[in-house]
């Protein structure tokens, strides 16, 4: 089954804990992105990676970290330094072979800090 | 000026109505444009790419005006199932991240 998988779907974390969100794709897309969405708000870019072993900060990278060791995987770690991490986290991929470079999204992970 | 701006909404329309959304972008060199749909508590999904000549997909029509730097989405004969948030997305250049607008909420009322 092709596509983008994110796990877990729901995640609960205690304050002060680091937590890692998984994003895996089998679309062979070059670029991968992490967005954060708060209730009633738009998407905000956290980090993105256009190639393996390289990634760039987005608009709200503070308190987050990523790695891109494989083309298929782009995990996001929410660290204890992130002041208000409760949100909906979306992973997306993008192929540079496509004429229009559209992005495709995984189903998302809802993180709640207790 | 924000990079991508959309009608603030929300739009509340009766079933069968025609509704239009507008979106403006600031980078005149932008290369490709999209409309996404996001249902409540779900991920955004690509609705349609916007071609230079305009394009139509069933009840949906997208237009691009490069001179004025705006994109529009027209929905004819609105259905209850069209209720969602519509996101305007602009790709400034190949091999670059896309820019998402804040979205416009549509509620189609019986």
């Amino acid at each position: 089954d092709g596509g983008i998988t994110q796990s877990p779907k729901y995640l609960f974390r205690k304050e002060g804990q680091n937590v890692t969100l998984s994003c895996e794709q089998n679309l062979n897309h070059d670029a991968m992105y992490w967005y954060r969405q708060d209730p009633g708000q738009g998407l905000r870019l956290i980090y993105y990676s256009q190639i393996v072993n390289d990634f760039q900060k987005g608009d709200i990278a503070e308190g987050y970290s990523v790695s891109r060791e494989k083309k298929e995987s782009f995990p996001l770690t929410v660290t204890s330094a992130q002041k208000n991490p409760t949100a909906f986290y979306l992973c997306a991929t993008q192929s540079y072979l496509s004429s229009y470079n559209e992005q495709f999204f995984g189903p998302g992970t809802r993180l709640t800090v207790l | 000026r924000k990079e991508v701006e959309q009608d603030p909404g929300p739009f509340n329309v009766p079933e069968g109505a025609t509704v239009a959304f507008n979106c403006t972008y600031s980078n005149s060199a932008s290369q490709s444009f999209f409309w996404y749909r996001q249902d409540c508590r779900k991920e955004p999904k690509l609705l349609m790419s916007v071609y230079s000549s305009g394009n139509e997909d069933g009840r949906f029509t997208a237009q691009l005006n490069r001179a004025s730097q705006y994109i529009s989405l027209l929905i004819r004969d609105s259905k209850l199932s069209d209720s969602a948030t519509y996101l305007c997305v602009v790709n400034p250049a190949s091999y670059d991240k896309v820019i998402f607008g804040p979205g416009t909420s549509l509620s189609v009322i019986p």
Side-chain angles (χ1 to χ4, degrees), chain A residues 6-69:
Chain A
Q6 291 187 243
S7 61
K9 187 173 182 179
Y10 298 97
L11 186 58
F12 298 90
R13 187 194 96 173
K14 292 182 180 179
E15 281 194 34
Q17 287 182 335
N18 290 356
V19 63
T20 298
L21 282 57
S22 169
C23 179
E24 303 279 333
Q25 57 112 350
N26 62 5
L27 302 171
N28 199 34
H29 285 178
D30 308 285
M32 297 185 74
Y33 299 78
W34 276 105
Y35 295 91
R36 169 182 172 141
Q37 188 174 38
D38 293 284
Q41 303 298 313
L43 300 174
R44 292 188 290 169
L45 181 63
I46 305 173
Y47 268 100
Y48 65 105
S49 168
Q50 296 174 307
I51 193 169
V52 174
N53 292 323
D54 188 45
F55 48 83
Q56 309 295 326
K57 291 183 178 180
D59 303 315
I60 55 164
E62 186 177 350
Y64 300 97
S65 66
V66 293
S67 63
R68 185 91 185 274
E69 297 176 2

Side-chain angles (χ1 to χ4, degrees), chain A residues 9-10 33 35 37 41-43 45 48 50 58-59 88 90 94 96 99-108 110, chain B residues 31-34 36 38 40-46 49-52 87 91 93-98 100-102:
Chain A
K9 187 173 182 179
Y10 298 97
Y33 299 78
Y35 295 91
Q37 188 174 38
Q41 303 298 313
L43 300 174
L45 181 63
Y48 65 105
Q50 296 174 307
D59 303 315
F88 186 37
L90 288 157
Q94 184 176 357
Y96 296 134
S99 300
Y100 287 88
N101 301 139
E102 55 270 76
Q103 289 194 359
F104 297 93
F105 285 83
R110 292 197 179 274
Chain B
Q31 297 192 358
S32 47
F33 310 88
F34 314 93
Y36 280 71
Q38 186 176 23
C40 187
R41 299 178 67 81
K42 297 286 191 181
E43 75 274 23
K45 293 187 177 178
L46 180 66
S49 301
V50 186
Y51 306 142
S52 295
L87 304 170
N91 190 351
S94 298
Y95 307 104
D96 199 355
K97 61 185 190 295
V98 300
F100 282 82

